[in-house]
Amino acid sequence: MADYHSKFLGKDDTGAPLEIGVRDGVIVAVGANLDGEGEHDHDFGDALILPGWIDAHVHFNEPGRADWEGLATGSQALATGGGTVFFDMPLNSSPPVVDAASLLEKKALAEKKSWTDFALWGGLIPHSLTSLPEMARAGAVGFKAFLCDSGLTEFPATDRTTLIEAAKVAADLDLPIAVHAEVPVSNQPPPSGTDYHAWCHSRPVTMELAGIELALEACAKSGAAFHIVHVSSPKEWT
């Protein structure tokens, strides 16, 4: 197989020589004593060779809030830890990514600043429902919705009707919806302080269960794929 671009040398778990053949940046063969010689040989000895990992949920916040964490610093940290691809969330940039124009603006910044490959989530809020197809055409990897207050006035919560209608659109586009699955409930206690325990007390697991139930309802009515972005309790799996 003389057209290997590179051949990486090492050992398998029995101590036998192990080679990885790479052509045009793609692993095409793994085994001992591969046929042919690559353009470059690299002997990694006893080192581990691991695949790069993908982070499907980051907040790099550009444009507008790079002081929180920007595309350059965030992607460089990802690469340092072995990551090769990130999917950036839409809400913390200013403007948030809720239409094709804002998605393309963030994409242009990422192409200039990112140290790794990337993809972008589009924002799902009540008045971005009609913008989902244009964000898909601009390259959105899916759509992110909050089912409760996101903390940002420009990224309001998605109500039940909007979520179900958006799920039908997402199913037609063959793209997933990621949901922050917390829905305010009648027995939700008010915040009693500003520390960690007070926060947890104000976010009972019933909020999360209600959010997941809503996501399941929208899934059943649309056939769309849903991704629950945070799961805090084993009750969600029962």
Side-chain angles (χ1 to χ4, degrees), residues 12 21 29 59 73 75 85 113 116 135 138 179 191 198 202 209 221 224 227:
D12 64 15
H59 292 264
T73 57
S75 62
V85 184
K113 297 185 176 185
T116 69
M135 285 191 281
V179 291
S202 72
L209 291 170
K221 291 183 176 181
H227 170 55

Side-chain angles (χ1 to χ4, degrees), residues 90 135 206 230:
M135 285 191 281
T206 48
H230 308 289

Side-chain angles (χ1 to χ4, degrees), residues 227-238:
H227 170 55
I228 307 301
V229 299
H230 308 289
V231 175
S232 66
S233 168
K235 291 182 179 180
E236 274 75 64
W237 300 106
T238 59

Side-chain angles (χ1 to χ4, degrees), residues 147 160 163-164 179-185 205-221 226 228 235-238:
L147 304 185
R160 175 180 174 274
L163 184 66
I164 293 172
V179 291
H180 182 111
E182 288 183 301
V183 171
V185 293
V205 71
T206 48
M207 289 183 63
E208 192 169 346
L209 291 170
I212 291 174
E213 287 175 359
L214 177 53
L216 289 173
E217 178 189 2
C219 178
K221 291 183 176 181
F226 275 77
I228 307 301
K235 291 182 179 180
E236 274 75 64
W237 300 106
T238 59

Side-chain angles (χ1 to χ4, degrees), residues 2-234:
D3 53 349
Y4 280 173
H5 176 68
S6 300
K7 185 184 291 182
F8 296 90
L9 308 179
K11 296 181 180 180
D12 64 15
D13 55 6
T14 68
L18 178 66
E19 300 176 354
I20 302 175
V22 179
R23 183 189 300 128
D24 297 328
V26 178
I27 294 174
V28 294
V30 178
N33 302 313
L34 296 179
D35 294 335
E37 293 295 329
E39 182 179 344
H40 305 287
D41 285 348
H42 305 281
D43 189 346
F44 289 94
D46 294 329
L48 297 175
I49 300 176
L50 301 173
W53 53 275
I54 298 172
D55 193 333
H57 187 148
V58 304
H59 292 264
F60 289 163
N61 313 318
E62 283 194 73
R65 293 188 173 97
D67 53 320
W68 291 9
E69 174 74 279
L71 287 159
T73 57
S75 62
Q76 191 172 16
L78 178 77
T80 300
T84 57
V85 184
F86 66 84
F87 299 169
D88 192 65
M89 287 295 175
L91 69 152
N92 288 338
S93 56
S94 183
V97 177
V98 293
D99 53 31
S102 52
L103 188 143
L104 291 172
E105 180 181 2
K106 176 175 279 194
K107 180 181 178 181
L109 280 172
E111 287 173 342
K112 292 178 181 179
K113 297 185 176 185
S114 179
W115 289 66
T116 69
D117 200 357
F118 66 90
L120 303 175
W121 289 95
L124 172 53
I125 58 177
H127 48 274
S128 73
L129 181 58
T130 58
S131 298
L132 301 187
E134 70 180 51
M135 285 191 281
R137 289 190 294 269
V141 73
F143 308 107
K144 167 68 179 294
F146 265 73
L147 304 185
C148 63
D149 184 1
S150 73
L152 297 168
T153 57
E154 62 267 43
F155 203 94
T158 296
D159 58 85
R160 175 180 174 274
T161 299
T162 301
L163 184 66
I164 293 172
E165 291 304 309
K168 295 174 183 177
V169 176
D172 289 340
L173 295 169
D174 196 24
L175 290 176
I177 293 179
V179 291
H180 182 111
E182 288 183 301
V183 171
V185 293
S186 59
N187 62 345
Q188 180 180 349
S192 58
T194 57
D195 61 16
Y196 175 76
H197 292 292
W199 169 258
C200 291
H201 183 65
S202 72
R203 318 293 287 198
V205 71
T206 48
M207 289 183 63
E208 192 169 346
L209 291 170
I212 291 174
E213 287 175 359
L214 177 53
L216 289 173
E217 178 189 2
C219 178
K221 291 183 176 181
S222 66
F226 275 77
H227 170 55
I228 307 301
V229 299
H230 308 289
V231 175
S232 66
S233 168

